[in-house]
Amino acid sequence: MRISDLLAIDELRLTLLTGDPGREFGTVHITDLPEPGRYLGGGELVLTGLMWWHEPGDSARFVAALAEAGVAALGAGQAWLGHVPADLVAACEAAGLPLVLVPVEVSFRTVAEVVVPRLAGDVRDALGRHRRLVAAIAEGADLRELFELTAAELGVTGAVVSASGQVIVGAVADPVRLAKAYLTEPRLPVLVGEHTIFAVGRGHRAAGWALACEGDLMGRADLGYELAACVGLERSRMEEGRRVERRLTEQLIVAALADADSAELNARLRTCGIDAAEPYAVVNVTALRPGATRGPDPATLGGQIVEELLGREVVAAAGADGAVAVVPLRERTAAELAERLRAGAGVLAALPDTRVCAGLSGALTGAAAVKGGVEEAGHARRLAEARGGGVVTSDEIYTHALLLATVPGDVRRSFAARLLTPLLDYDRRHQSELVRTLGIYLDCAGSWNACAEQLHVHVNTVRYRVRRIEELTGRDLSTMADRVDFFLALRDTGTPR
């Protein structure tokens, strides 16, 4: 029951002194103990005659005990003191605890006798809803039907949105904005614009769902929690069926890497829902959480994320080297698939402690290509990790970048520092641009005139700077070997250009 419903009962003649009238309570507790916390379980309307009050400091201690116990609201009677102390009102206001004035002529017993049957009626209504929902699930209702039924029962409208901003069920105008709020808000539920956002389930937010309810439900959070629980129940049921599909994908990958014969591979490919002549691509993904000591491992979380990014059209088998999904292309190209992954990963980038790293193979056909696709996607994912996250396609890995990605980061940094430190030090001391000149000179394939044009300087200035670079580093920029060394050093992460 909400405080506002309590205030609407004319026979009680209650008055709200401070706090949110939309706050809910589930039971009534009467006490005059100065520190009643040990006897409270949370969610109560506590009624007190103020017999514990002797001086202003008593109010702060009493309210602190109620707040720590999770009490929903406080009702204060006037029979003992003849008034409600101002410091009690102030303490409740500071703690965000609704305070209700109970008039002298209304006993606490009367309040309890009136309220408790109504609370029981609320419980009966909830049980009735649950029975109808269980019946709908037993009859095979899908997520859309279950969501619509529950929302109608509760009088709530809205949508369920994935962490990457896709609408799972329902309708909402700006799912990406709501998804970013779900990812970044430290506590849920939270009011964002015209929607109240609740979490569905208890998994990691990067692979989670958000329930966006229209309107401000912060004072009626029980409605959102109940709808979120029903959605979570159906999602768990869907998850059970996907475990079998993940095992089938895992068996396909293991067989392909073990060079199983073509007949076995074709059969396993068909069990994953892909025809032998149908084009497909392989995705390898991890979700890195630097410094995290708890929660899912990078491959497991990465697999959950890629399933959500692709609208749960596929499953991903988590292994030691990332999670692997075999994705039928059908009406789309590998490039379009990459763009879809990038769009979703871009939304997830709002989550500060998680980096999604995905690699995508080119378009493949036939079971014999699975092994090459897995290896290709794995190389691309490792390059994504070296870049600090994102989506890398097979088109990007057949360059020097793939070689650099296989070199340990400390080795790359040491190589770049040894080669470029003399130039960086010189630039700092003289406010010059040797490093920038070197980068543009190499991009211009050693053309003095093209480099001078981009730098907006005379060609002789470029010649002077290049000679100075050679003097400081002991290298010869007329040789291909030294040009390659500088080129790779400049492209190491964090090196200014």
Side-chain angles (χ1 to χ4, degrees):
M1 177 183 287
R2 288 178 294 181
I3 299 298
S4 58
D5 297 329
L6 181 67
L7 298 174
I9 303 174
D10 292 337
E11 62 188 282
L12 298 181
R13 301 188 295 281
L14 305 178
T15 304
L16 182 67
L17 299 180
T18 186
D20 179 10
R23 180 76 66 85
E24 289 196 339
F25 63 95
T27 186
V28 177
H29 184 88
I30 302 172
T31 184
D32 268 305
L33 294 173
E35 295 186 5
R38 71 177 72 179
Y39 303 106
L40 299 170
E44 299 96 341
L45 166 64
V46 171
L47 301 176
T48 180
L50 303 177
M51 296 180 68
W52 46 266
W53 193 92
H54 300 288
E55 57 185 15
D58 294 339
S59 292
R61 287 191 292 271
F62 185 78
V63 171
L66 299 185
E68 185 176 354
V71 165
L74 174 63
Q78 302 180 90
W80 180 255
L81 296 177
H83 69 286
V84 174
D87 63 290
L88 178 59
V89 178
C92 287
E93 186 173 4
L97 184 68
L99 175 62
V100 175
L101 171 64
V102 182
V104 175
E105 61 272 18
V106 177
S107 70
F108 291 163
R109 179 178 177 180
T110 299
V111 174
E113 288 177 346
V114 171
V115 169
V116 169
R118 297 178 186 236
L119 290 172
D122 290 344
V123 172
R124 284 194 297 272
D125 289 343
L127 289 174
R129 283 196 300 271
H130 283 296
R131 279 195 293 269
R132 290 188 288 274
L133 293 172
V134 169
I137 292 172
E139 292 171 4
D142 60 18
L143 178 60
R144 180 188 60 79
E145 294 169 328
L146 185 65
F147 179 80
E148 291 176 354
L149 172 62
T150 310
E153 290 273 2
L154 298 172
V156 176
T157 56
V160 177
V161 179
S162 74
S164 58
Q166 300 178 49
V167 176
I168 307 297
V169 66
V172 69
D174 192 353
V176 170
R177 179 176 67 92
L178 296 175
K180 288 182 177 180
Y182 164 71
L183 290 169
T184 56
E185 288 291 339
R187 297 185 65 182
L188 298 173
V190 65
L191 182 63
V192 177
E194 298 179 351
H195 289 84
T196 307
I197 299 178
F198 297 81
V200 175
R202 296 181 177 275
H204 195 280
R205 288 195 193 182
W209 288 359
L211 169 64
C213 298
E214 291 187 10
D216 183 355
L217 291 189
M218 296 301 290
R220 295 299 316 273
D222 63 310
L223 299 180
Y225 286 132
E226 188 170 346
L227 181 52
C230 291
V231 174
L233 178 65
E234 179 59 16
R235 186 183 186 188
S236 298
R237 189 175 70 164
M238 295 163 60
E239 188 68 17
E240 287 297 321
R242 298 174 70 80
R243 290 180 184 175
V244 175
E245 298 176 43
R246 291 193 189 101
R247 282 198 295 271
L248 294 175
T249 299
E250 181 181 3
Q251 290 167 1
L252 169 64
I253 303 304
V254 170
L257 295 178
D259 294 317
D261 62 70
S262 58
E264 179 185 352
L265 288 176
N266 280 323
R268 293 195 180 281
L269 191 62
R270 284 194 296 272
T271 63
C272 293
I274 300 175
D275 224 35
E278 184 179 6
Y280 62 91
V282 177
V283 179
N284 186 301
V285 62
T286 59
L288 304 180
R289 298 183 300 137
T293 58
R294 301 174 61 185
D297 64 83
T300 299
L301 181 56
Q304 295 169 352
I305 288 173
V306 80
E307 290 177 2
E308 295 298 335
L309 289 181
L310 298 179
R312 301 174 74 81
E313 301 168 11
V314 298
V315 295
D321 188 36
V324 178
V326 182
V327 185
L329 294 176
R330 296 187 177 128
E331 302 300 322
R332 61 190 167 200
T333 66
E336 290 170 339
L337 176 60
E339 285 308 307
R340 182 169 178 178
L341 291 171
R342 287 194 178 101
V347 178
L348 292 172
L351 196 60
D353 63 345
T354 302
R355 293 187 289 122
V356 178
C357 307
L360 177 65
S361 75
L364 309 166
T365 54
V370 171
K371 180 178 181 179
V374 170
E375 293 175 347
E376 201 171 73
H379 289 317
R381 191 217 75 224
R382 284 186 283 277
L383 179 54
E385 289 181 353
R387 290 178 176 177
V391 179
V392 173
T393 67
S394 60
D395 294 337
E396 301 174 69
I397 64 174
Y398 295 111
T399 68
H400 66 278
L402 176 61
L403 298 178
L404 287 179
T406 63
V407 178
D410 56 343
V411 175
R412 295 199 313 273
R413 288 188 291 273
S414 176
F415 171 78
R418 178 181 289 271
L419 199 56
L420 299 177
T421 294
L423 306 182
L424 294 168
D425 289 345
Y426 186 90
D427 281 347
R428 276 193 294 269
R429 290 196 306 270
H430 298 88
Q431 288 77 51
S432 57
E433 293 188 319
L434 294 186
V435 172
R436 180 167 178 261
T437 300
L438 173 61
I440 294 175
Y441 176 77
L442 294 174
D443 287 343
C444 294
S447 167
W448 307 99
N449 291 326
C451 182
E453 185 176 341
Q454 286 200 35
L455 288 169
H456 305 292
V457 298
H458 194 275
V459 67
N460 287 339
T461 301
V462 175
R463 293 179 185 275
Y464 168 78
R465 291 180 182 176
V466 169
R467 284 197 301 272
R468 197 79 185 106
I469 290 168
E470 292 175 331
E471 291 170 0
L472 291 169
T473 62
R475 299 297 187 106
D476 183 357
L477 281 171
S478 66
T479 67
M480 180 60 69
D482 283 349
R483 286 190 187 185
V484 169
D485 283 349
F486 279 122
F487 177 85
L488 296 178
L490 285 169
R491 277 150 183 79
D492 184 55
T493 55
T495 302
R497 291 288 309 279

